[in-house]
Amino acid sequence: MANQQTKAERREAAREKARKLQELEEKRAKRNKLITIIVIVVAIALVGVAIWSIVANGSDDEEDAMRQEYDPVAVQVEPVTIEGADVPTGFSVLGEDAEHSEDAQRVEIYFDYMCIHCNNLEQWNGGDLNEITAQGDAEIFYYPVAILNNDISVYGAATFQYIAENSPEHLMAYHKNLFDITDAYLYNREAVRPDWDSVKQAARDAGVPDDMVDSLESEVDLEWVNAANQQFSANGFTGTPTVLLNGEVNYEYAENDFPAMLGLAEPEADTEE
C-alpha cells in the first residue's frame, strides 16, 4: 500500500509526537510555576498590607486615645515682654473668672502652628492645659513663633497676637481650632494645605466678631512675627515646642502629663497601676 509507513517512519512519528507533547507539558509546567509564583507574591503582599494596616491602625488608635477633647475656656490675656525684647512676644492666659493660686508655677510654651510635635503637645495635653488655665493652678504663657518657613505659621502666629489684643476671650478657642486644622493636614487626614481662609475659619468658629475676621489679612502685624522669631533665637532656642518650667527648659512635657509635671496630680502611670 502506497501510504503504509515503514517501521522506521512510524518510530520517527512517535518520537515527534512525544517531543511535541513534552514541549506542551514543559510550557504548561512553566505557566503553572509562574502562576504559583505570582500567587505567592500577591499573598505575601496582602499579608504585608494586612500587617501594616494592623500596626498603623493600632498606632492610630493609640494616638486617638491620647487626644483630649475639650471646650476652650474664655480667658483674660496679658502681654508679656521678655527682658531684652522691644515688644511683647508672649501672652499670659488665665481663666476669665480665675485667679492664680499663691504657689502657682510658671509654664511657658513656644510653638509653631505647622510643627507636628507642637500639634501633638496640643492634641495630647490641650485638655489638661485648659483645665489648669481655667482654675489658675499655674501661670501659663504662650509664645507663637514661625520658624518653619511657611505662610501658615506666620499667619497663625500673627493672628494669635491680633486676637490676644483685640478679642482676648476667644484666644484659646482660636488656638485649638487652628491646631485642629493643621493637625488634620500634617497627619494626612486633609489633603489641602491650610491658608488664610483656614486661619479666618479658626477665628470665626472661635467666636471672634465677623468684622475682625474679615479684616485679618490687612490688620495683623506680620512684622511682629519677625520680632517674635528673633527673640526666640536670641534666647538660644532652636526648635519647637520649647517648654519652660519656672524659667528653665523642661522636657517632662513629653510625658504628656502636665498635672504631674506641675505637682497637681500623681503621674498617670502610677495611678493606673
Side-chain angles (χ1 to χ4, degrees):
M1 297 177 60
N3 293 331
Q4 188 174 2
Q5 291 180 314
T6 64
K7 186 176 181 179
E9 289 173 335
R10 290 197 299 275
R11 188 182 302 117
E12 183 60 29
R15 287 199 194 99
E16 181 63 17
K17 183 177 181 179
R19 185 184 64 78
K20 289 181 178 179
L21 289 174
Q22 186 177 27
E23 286 181 354
L24 289 173
E25 179 62 22
E26 288 175 353
K27 289 179 180 180
R28 187 184 68 81
K30 288 180 179 179
R31 184 174 64 252
N32 289 346
K33 183 177 180 180
L34 179 60
I35 292 172
T36 300
I37 292 173
I38 292 173
V39 169
I40 291 173
V41 170
V42 170
I44 291 173
L46 289 175
V47 169
V49 169
I51 292 173
W52 176 85
S53 179
I54 291 171
V55 172
N57 287 337
S59 177
D60 289 344
D61 290 344
E62 182 179 349
E63 290 182 358
D64 287 343
M66 294 174 66
R67 292 176 180 271
Q68 298 182 352
E69 294 297 329
Y70 65 96
D71 294 323
V73 64
V75 292
Q76 45 187 312
V77 179
E78 291 292 337
V80 177
T81 303
I82 299 174
E83 184 179 352
D86 296 327
V87 296
T89 56
F91 301 89
S92 167
V93 297
L94 176 65
E96 199 169 43
D97 300 317
E99 294 182 359
H100 286 125
S101 59
E102 292 183 3
D103 57 348
Q105 299 191 72
R106 180 185 180 104
V107 176
E108 299 169 88
I109 300 173
Y110 291 82
F111 66 92
D112 185 313
Y113 279 112
M114 284 295 280
C115 159
I116 195 165
H117 299 298
C118 300
N119 269 274
N120 291 343
L121 188 153
E122 164 60 25
Q123 300 299 334
W124 299 343
N125 300 280
D128 289 336
L129 289 168
N130 186 64
E131 181 65 20
I132 292 168
T133 299
Q135 300 300 323
D137 290 330
E139 296 182 82
I140 306 294
F141 298 80
Y142 286 99
Y143 297 84
V145 295
I147 63 171
L148 296 181
N149 195 30
N150 65 81
D151 289 344
I152 195 65
S153 295
V154 175
Y155 300 158
T159 301
F160 186 100
Q161 185 252 0
Y162 178 80
I163 294 175
E165 294 186 351
N166 295 281
S167 188
E169 66 274 21
H170 302 115
L171 182 63
M172 299 319 296
Y174 160 77
H175 183 67
K176 179 182 186 298
N177 291 346
L178 188 54
F179 262 134
D180 285 345
I181 290 170
T182 57
D183 179 76
Y185 173 75
L186 291 170
Y187 279 99
N188 301 313
R189 296 192 302 277
E190 293 290 342
V192 179
R193 186 183 182 87
D195 55 15
W196 254 126
D197 287 339
S198 306
V199 174
K200 289 180 179 180
Q201 192 61 53
R204 198 182 309 277
D205 289 347
V208 176
D210 286 343
D211 59 333
M212 288 188 184
V213 173
D214 293 339
S215 63
L216 278 176
E217 287 183 66
S218 60
E219 292 295 328
V220 299
D221 185 357
L222 300 183
E223 284 302 315
W224 176 88
V225 181
N226 289 332
N229 291 343
Q230 291 169 9
Q231 188 60 46
F232 178 79
S233 298
N235 287 342
F237 305 143
T238 57
T240 53
T242 293
V243 177
L244 279 67
L245 177 60
N246 300 322
E248 300 292 333
V249 175
N250 187 288
Y251 298 101
E252 289 183 41
Y253 78 86
E255 298 293 329
N256 299 308
D257 193 353
F258 273 83
M261 187 180 87
L262 294 169
L264 302 173
E266 293 296 321
E268 291 183 0
D270 292 345
T271 59
E272 292 172 358
E273 291 179 357

